[in-house]
Amino acid sequence: MSVFFWASEAASAAGEHGAEGAAHGAESGGFPPFEAALFSHQLFWFAIAFGGLFYLMSKKVLPNVAQTLEKRKNTIETDLAGARAAGEAAEAARAGHEKLLAEARAKARGSIDDVRAQSAAAMAAETQKSEADVAKTIATAETKIRAMRDEAMANVRATAADLAVEIAQKIGGVSVSKAEAEKAVDAGRSAA
């Protein structure tokens, strides 16, 4: 109940003060800032407040703001200069990197060309050596073949002469010397 009692007393006190304020306003003529009799006092205090604020702003606040703005401007300019320098350094590094890559590619191409040339030279030398070995082998084989053919031909002549002697004896009953049979074989070979 005490809470209810206290709230009701506060409401009645507010009502009494509100009624007094309304009566005072009606007697004085309205809202005080708009009363013509108070303009000179208001202008005086406005000039003092404006002068005080102007002095405070111009001597204390604005120099601090200007100093902060100057520091900020210097910081931004320093950061921009650093960024430009870093950008130029990055561009120089990129150009150097591209140059190194181009040199490495050229060196690799040169190495590949050298290896190809060496391989081609080695293959040509090996081919030439193989061809020489083959030619030598062929020449040796041809020599052996000629010798074998000559030997075979010599054996054929001797065999043909022996056969001629035997045939003449068995078929014709004639005795022929080996020299005569060889002459007959040679004559038959030259006629063929």
Side-chain angles (χ1 to χ4, degrees):
M1 275 205 211
S2 63
V3 173
F4 179 70
F5 177 71
W6 178 78
S8 65
E9 280 186 16
S12 65
E16 291 174 11
H17 288 295
E20 287 176 14
H24 178 64
E27 291 172 5
S28 65
F31 188 56
F34 293 136
E35 288 185 22
L38 299 176
F39 277 157
S40 61
H41 296 300
Q42 289 176 357
L43 285 176
F44 173 74
W45 287 110
F46 174 73
I48 289 175
F50 181 77
L53 284 174
F54 182 77
Y55 177 78
L56 181 67
M57 293 296 284
S58 66
K59 298 296 181 185
K60 300 288 181 188
V61 176
L62 291 178
N64 288 342
V65 170
Q67 186 179 15
T68 302
L69 289 175
E70 187 66 27
K71 283 181 184 177
R72 192 169 171 201
K73 178 183 170 189
N74 291 339
T75 303
I76 290 171
E77 287 176 356
T78 303
D79 290 347
L80 286 175
R84 274 189 225 105
E88 290 170 0
E91 184 63 28
R94 185 188 63 79
H97 179 69
E98 287 178 359
K99 182 180 177 185
L100 288 174
L101 281 176
E103 289 173 357
R105 285 184 184 128
K107 186 176 180 181
R109 283 189 196 114
S111 296
I112 290 170
D113 291 343
D114 289 345
V115 168
R116 282 183 184 161
Q118 289 173 357
S119 296
M123 285 179 64
E126 197 64 35
T127 302
Q128 192 175 18
K129 182 181 176 188
S130 296
E131 287 175 355
D133 290 344
V134 167
K136 184 178 177 183
T137 304
I138 289 172
T140 304
E142 286 177 350
T143 304
K144 285 182 182 178
I145 290 171
R146 262 189 245 112
M148 289 170 64
R149 186 183 68 208
D150 291 345
E151 185 181 332
M153 290 306 280
N155 287 340
V156 166
R157 184 171 174 247
T159 305
D162 290 339
L163 280 176
V165 168
E166 281 184 33
I167 290 173
Q169 282 177 359
K170 285 186 182 178
I171 294 180
V174 180
S175 142
V176 178
S177 72
K178 191 169 180 173
E180 289 175 337
E182 286 177 358
K183 272 186 183 179
V185 169
D186 287 341
R189 202 170 76 173
S190 61

